Amino acid sequence: MRPKALLTLLESVNEQILYPDEIIIVDGSTNEDTKHVFEQNSFKNLRYFKVEDKDRGLTKQRNYGIEKVSAHIDIVCFLDDDIVLTENYFKNLIGTYSHYPNAGGVGGYIINEISWRQLKPNEKPRYEEYEIDGYVRNLGSRNVLRKKFGLLSKERPSIMSKHSNDFPITYLPPNKETYFVDFFLGGVSSFKKEVVDKVKFSTYFIGYGLYEDLEYCLRVSKQYKLYVNTDAKLYHYHEEGGRPNKYKYGRMVIKNGWYVWRTKYPKLPFKYKLKWYSIMLLLTAIKFSNVFTKSKKRESFFEACGRLFGLVILLFKKPKIIN
C-alpha cells in the first residue's frame, strides 16, 4: 500500500554499483496501485507477485518470497519499501560476507535518523549523551529517564540483555566499521540463502509484524553469526501508509516485545522479569505524559492505552513461544 515509496526505492536500486541478480516484489496491497507501478516502469531482473489473503502479512510474504528465490542466488536481502539506498549499499553489504566468512547474516546502516559527533581530545560526554568508540549522540528523553532509574541497558548496541529493551543498531557509530550483533532491522537485512531456506519467519507475527525482524534474528543467531556493516548506508523515511492504528500498535509493542525477549531468554530469574515490567511501565507512563507535552495528543493517548492494556493481558495470559 505504498506505491510511491516503493518506486523511489527501486529508483535507488537502479543506481547501485553492484546490481541485484534478482529482485522479488511480494505485494500484499488490497488495491491495484502498486501493480500499476510495474505496468508503467521497467526494472532489470524484477519479478512481481501479488498475494491473496492467505499469504498476506509481513512474515508470510517474506516466506513466500524466499520460496521464489532462484537456486543460483547466494545472498538474500530484504528491504522495506520506505528505504532509499546509497549507490554502494549492496557492494559494501555483500562484501562483508567475504571479510566475515562465518556470517549468516549482515545488516545495513541507516544514516538519516541520528545526529552523531566525534568526541574531542579529553572531552567527556554529557549525562544525556551516549558514547561509543569515540562517537557521541543524544540518548533521547526516555532513555535519560531510564538512566536515572537504573533501567538502561549496559550491553553494546544490538546485543540483547536479560531484561531486553536494549540499544538498537541506531546506537552504532557511523565509523564504517563492522560490528558483531544479536539482531538488526529486517528492512535493511540480508542473510545467506542457506539460512533463509532453513529458518523461516514466524507466522506468530501477523499483518504489520512489529519486532518480527528481531525475533527472526534471535533465532538465527543461535546457529549463525550476525553483523552490521556501518558502511552499508541507506536512508529510512518512515512511510505512514499501511501502519496499524495507535491503540493496536501500543498493544503490539508490549505483546511482541515480551515475545522476542522470551525467545532469547525462555527461563530467567525474577529480578530480570521485574526489570522488564518496570521498563514497560515507565515507557507507558512517558507515553501518557506525551498527551500533555506533544502535539499528537490523540495518538499518544491511544498508544499509551494500548500499551497499558497489553501489560494487563500479559499478567493473565502470556503468548506461547513458537520455535
Side-chain angles (χ1 to χ4, degrees), residues 236-247:
H236 186 203
Y237 290 106
H238 294 280
E239 177 72 25
E240 289 301 318
R243 298 183 187 273
N245 67 55
K246 287 297 182 180
Y247 177 77

Side-chain angles (χ1 to χ4, degrees), residues 37-281:
V37 169
F38 303 107
E39 293 173 344
Q40 300 166 8
N41 300 273
S42 178
F43 296 95
K44 182 183 175 183
N45 301 337
L46 188 143
R47 299 164 65 202
Y48 171 81
F49 301 91
K50 193 175 192 320
V51 296
E52 303 298 330
D53 284 345
K54 65 182 180 67
D55 293 311
R56 185 174 288 130
L58 184 54
T59 55
K60 288 183 178 180
Q61 286 174 230
R62 283 183 175 165
N63 288 337
Y64 182 98
I66 290 167
E67 295 299 320
K68 302 298 182 182
V69 175
S70 298
H72 68 277
I73 298 297
D74 297 314
I75 306 296
V76 178
C77 304
F78 296 93
L79 291 172
D80 281 351
D81 45 21
D82 53 1
I83 292 292
V84 175
L85 308 177
T86 60
E87 65 178 11
N88 59 359
Y89 174 76
F90 285 128
K91 176 178 178 293
N92 291 344
L93 188 79
I94 303 305
T96 313
Y97 289 93
S98 297
H99 289 97
Y100 297 86
N102 65 341
V106 178
Y109 186 73
I110 299 168
I111 58 176
N112 65 310
E113 295 181 345
I114 304 300
S115 177
W116 288 87
R117 65 180 178 85
Q118 285 186 276
L119 277 177
K120 298 176 182 177
N122 302 319
E123 180 190 4
K124 292 184 179 180
R126 298 191 299 272
Y127 184 83
E128 66 274 15
E129 292 181 324
Y130 176 81
E131 186 272 330
I132 178 172
D133 295 344
Y135 285 79
V136 176
R137 56 156 287 175
N138 286 331
L139 266 174
S141 58
R142 68 175 184 173
N143 281 332
V144 170
L145 194 56
R146 284 176 59 185
K147 188 176 182 179
K148 290 179 179 178
F149 282 95
L151 297 174
L152 203 59
S153 175
K154 295 181 180 179
E155 294 286 354
R156 292 189 299 105
S158 290
I159 299 293
M160 179 170 278
S161 66
K162 291 183 178 180
H163 58 74
S164 189
N165 295 280
D166 309 286
F167 292 117
I169 65 171
T170 51
Y171 281 81
L172 291 173
N175 57 5
K176 300 184 179 181
E177 297 294 330
T178 297
Y179 289 86
F180 169 77
V181 298
D182 281 342
F183 57 89
F184 40 64
L185 298 175
V188 298
S189 65
S190 71
F191 301 92
K192 287 180 178 176
K193 190 169 185 293
E194 67 182 77
V195 173
V196 296
D197 283 342
K198 182 178 180 181
V199 185
K200 300 301 180 183
F201 285 87
S202 174
T203 53
Y204 169 83
F205 299 88
I206 60 174
Y208 178 67
L210 183 68
Y211 302 152
E212 96 298 330
D213 46 1
L214 176 54
E215 186 271 348
Y216 183 77
C217 284
L218 291 175
R219 283 190 290 119
V220 170
S221 67
K222 294 178 181 179
Q223 306 175 57
Y224 302 91
K225 299 292 185 181
L226 300 180
Y227 298 90
V228 167
N229 184 344
T230 64
D231 202 25
K233 301 173 185 177
L234 44 77
Y235 302 86
H236 186 203
Y237 290 106
H238 294 280
E239 177 72 25
E240 289 301 318
R243 298 183 187 273
N245 67 55
K246 287 297 182 180
Y247 177 77
K248 289 183 179 179
Y249 180 82
R251 286 185 60 180
M252 291 168 73
V253 167
I254 300 299
K255 183 182 177 183
N256 293 7
W258 183 93
Y259 190 94
V260 297
W261 169 50
R262 299 317 296 269
T263 295
K264 174 73 173 180
Y265 299 108
K267 295 182 180 180
L268 283 171
F270 177 74
K271 65 177 182 179
Y272 296 111
K273 298 177 183 178
L274 179 62
K275 195 167 186 178
W276 186 87
Y277 279 98
S278 298
I279 294 170
M280 290 298 101
L281 284 170

Side-chain angles (χ1 to χ4, degrees), residues 26-37:
V26 183
D27 181 15
S29 301
T30 54
N31 57 36
E32 300 296 311
D33 292 353
T34 302
K35 183 179 180 181
H36 293 158
V37 169

